[in-house]
């Protein structure tokens, strides 16, 4: 079974969804599963240098007063706690352009992608690091056992950039408007961070060709 997961690296629900998927895969007793993490860009208007986090969030919530934001962040934090992933929104100062972080995921070996994505999530959501910065991403690569110098060479490689652009284009063709978005065996798609038992039920139905 192939599971394609469209995600953005500043999407807290993507982190929650990935945690639930990991738990589901640990319980799965069926056929072998291959997970492909695909790039998605929630906000293409973010400039390369990023924008202040609260400014970006208030614009997204269409709430210039900022009254809604804390309630939203508190809700995400509670959901993350239930999924076993912490969030420290008080440490996040910047909403970065996520293209470079997606290029890092595309640049590393297949066996390292999940680990690197988890480390990017932790860097942003727990440590408040700016994951739009090359220096931060190369440090993450090193912490994941990869050679930062070799990774730096790959980061801007034409094949890597094309891979990320292809994911963006595929998401547009599929009319994916929000993430996380999961596609099983290229035929069953759904959005949202679903609990492990719900994921297992869908996986079982797809595996038995009932979907």
């Amino acid at each position: 079974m192939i599971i394609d997961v469209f995600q953005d690296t500043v999407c807290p629900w993507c982190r929650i969804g990935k945690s639930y998927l990991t738990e589901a895969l640990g319980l799965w007793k069926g056929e072998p599963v291959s997970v492909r993490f695909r790039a998605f860009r929630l906000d293409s208007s973010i400039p390369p240098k990023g924008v202040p986090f609260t400014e970006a969030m208030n614009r997204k919530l269409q709430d210039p007063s900022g009254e809604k934001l804390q309630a939203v962040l508190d809700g995400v934090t509670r959901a993350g706690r239930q999924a076993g992933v912490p969030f420290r929104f008080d440490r996040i100062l910047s909403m970065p352009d996520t293209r470079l972080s997606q290029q890092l995921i595309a640049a590393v070996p297949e066996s390292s992608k999940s680990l690197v994505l988890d480390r990017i999530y932790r860097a942003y959501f727990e440590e408040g690091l700016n994951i739009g910065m090359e220096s931060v991403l190369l440090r993450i690569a090193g912490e994941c056992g990869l050679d930062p110098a070799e990774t730096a060479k790959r980061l801007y490689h034409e094949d890597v950039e094309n891979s990320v652009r292809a994911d963006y284009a595929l998401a547009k063709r599929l009319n994916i408007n929000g993430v996380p978005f999961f596609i099983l065996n290229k035929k069953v798609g759904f959005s949202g961070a679903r609990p492990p038992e719900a994921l297992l039920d869908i996986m079982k139905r797809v595996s038995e060709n009932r979907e």
Side-chain angles (χ1 to χ4, degrees):
M1 182 185 303
I2 298 175
I3 302 179
D4 289 293
V5 183
F6 286 84
Q7 55 73 39
D8 199 354
T9 50
V10 292
C11 169
W13 291 105
C14 292
R15 188 185 197 201
I16 292 170
K18 185 177 186 299
S19 179
Y20 279 148
L21 177 61
T22 299
E23 186 175 344
L25 292 175
L27 297 170
W28 175 246
K29 305 298 182 182
E31 64 184 288
V33 177
S34 175
V35 179
R36 299 188 296 201
F37 295 103
R38 294 189 176 274
F40 186 87
R41 204 176 191 188
L42 282 167
D43 190 346
S44 60
S45 72
I46 302 292
K49 65 179 182 179
V51 297
F53 177 74
T54 54
E55 175 188 316
M57 289 299 298
N58 289 335
R59 184 174 71 239
K60 178 181 178 181
L61 296 170
Q62 297 182 334
D63 180 31
S65 69
E67 294 178 358
K68 298 178 183 178
L69 180 56
Q70 193 57 53
V72 169
L73 298 182
D74 288 346
V76 172
T77 301
R78 286 193 297 271
R81 192 177 301 120
Q82 188 172 359
V85 286
F87 291 94
R88 289 296 307 269
F89 290 107
D90 57 307
R91 295 178 175 175
I92 301 176
L93 301 178
S94 175
M95 178 67 77
D97 176 8
T98 59
R99 182 187 290 271
L100 198 59
S101 62
Q102 298 287 9
Q103 287 178 204
L104 175 63
I105 297 164
V108 304
E110 198 66 37
S111 59
S112 298
K113 292 185 189 299
S114 180
L115 177 63
V116 168
L117 178 54
D118 279 336
R119 184 64 187 94
I120 291 172
Y121 284 149
R122 181 157 62 90
Y124 186 64
F125 289 117
E126 296 181 49
E127 300 166 13
L129 298 178
N130 186 342
I131 58 169
M133 294 178 60
E134 179 184 308
S135 58
V136 171
L137 295 173
L138 293 180
R139 190 171 82 195
I140 286 172
E143 291 171 355
C144 292
L146 302 165
D147 185 318
E150 288 300 316
T151 304
K153 293 178 184 178
R154 286 280 300 155
L155 196 56
Y156 299 97
H157 194 280
E158 183 179 1
D159 290 347
V160 168
E161 293 182 338
N162 286 343
S163 174
V164 171
R165 280 195 290 265
D167 283 350
Y168 291 162
L170 177 59
K172 186 173 183 179
R173 287 199 303 274
L174 296 174
N175 294 315
I176 296 173
N177 297 310
V179 285
F181 195 95
F182 301 80
I183 302 176
L184 281 65
N185 282 350
K186 298 184 178 181
K187 59 182 180 180
V188 175
F190 59 90
S191 63
R194 303 199 183 187
E197 57 272 18
L199 290 171
L200 286 169
D201 181 62
I202 297 170
M203 291 168 66
K204 183 178 179 181
R205 285 187 276 128
V206 169
S207 185
E208 294 174 352
N209 293 314
R210 289 192 282 130
E211 291 282 6

